[in-house]
Amino acid sequence: MEKLNQNQRIILSLYILWTFMHLIFLTIAERDSPDYFWPFQIGQNRTILEAIPVFYDFSEFLVYVGSPIIIYIIYILIKKKN
C-alpha cells in the first residue's frame, strides 16, 4: 500500500466501496433470476432500487465488479506502451 500514489489510493478506495455496495446487493437478493439483467430490465413497473432484491444475481455481480478491473488492466497496458 505504501507504493501506491495518491490517485491509485483514491481509485482503490472507490473500487472497494463499489465492491462492498454490490456485495450488499448480492446479499439482499432473494433469488437468482437469469431472466432479467439489473437495472436494464427491471420489469413489472418497479423502480431500480425495488428491483434489486428480485432481479440482482451473481451474473450482475460479476459484470459490475469485474468490469472495472478489466478496464483498469487495459488502461495500465495502454499506458505502458506509450
Side-chain angles (χ1 to χ4, degrees):
M1 196 74 156
E2 295 173 7
K3 294 182 180 181
L4 298 176
N5 64 30
Q6 185 66 25
N7 289 337
Q8 291 170 331
R9 287 181 185 181
I10 291 171
I11 290 171
L12 182 60
S13 299
L14 291 173
Y15 181 71
I16 290 171
L17 179 67
W18 180 257
T19 302
F20 183 71
M21 180 182 72
H22 282 279
L23 277 172
I24 291 171
F25 291 169
L26 189 60
T27 303
I28 64 173
E30 295 173 357
R31 63 183 176 92
D32 292 338
S33 177
D35 300 335
Y36 297 99
F37 194 83
W38 181 85
F40 301 108
Q41 296 173 331
I42 55 177
Q44 300 173 354
N45 297 325
R46 290 185 170 98
T47 66
I48 290 175
L49 293 177
E50 290 172 340
I52 290 171
V54 179
F55 300 122
Y56 194 90
D57 67 357
F58 197 68
S59 63
E60 283 91 356
F61 179 79
L62 287 178
V63 168
Y64 293 126
V65 172
S67 296
I69 293 173
I70 294 170
I71 291 169
Y72 185 72
I73 290 170
I74 291 171
Y75 169 76
I76 294 298
L77 291 174
I78 291 173
K79 187 177 175 183
K80 284 184 180 179
K81 286 183 180 180
N82 293 335

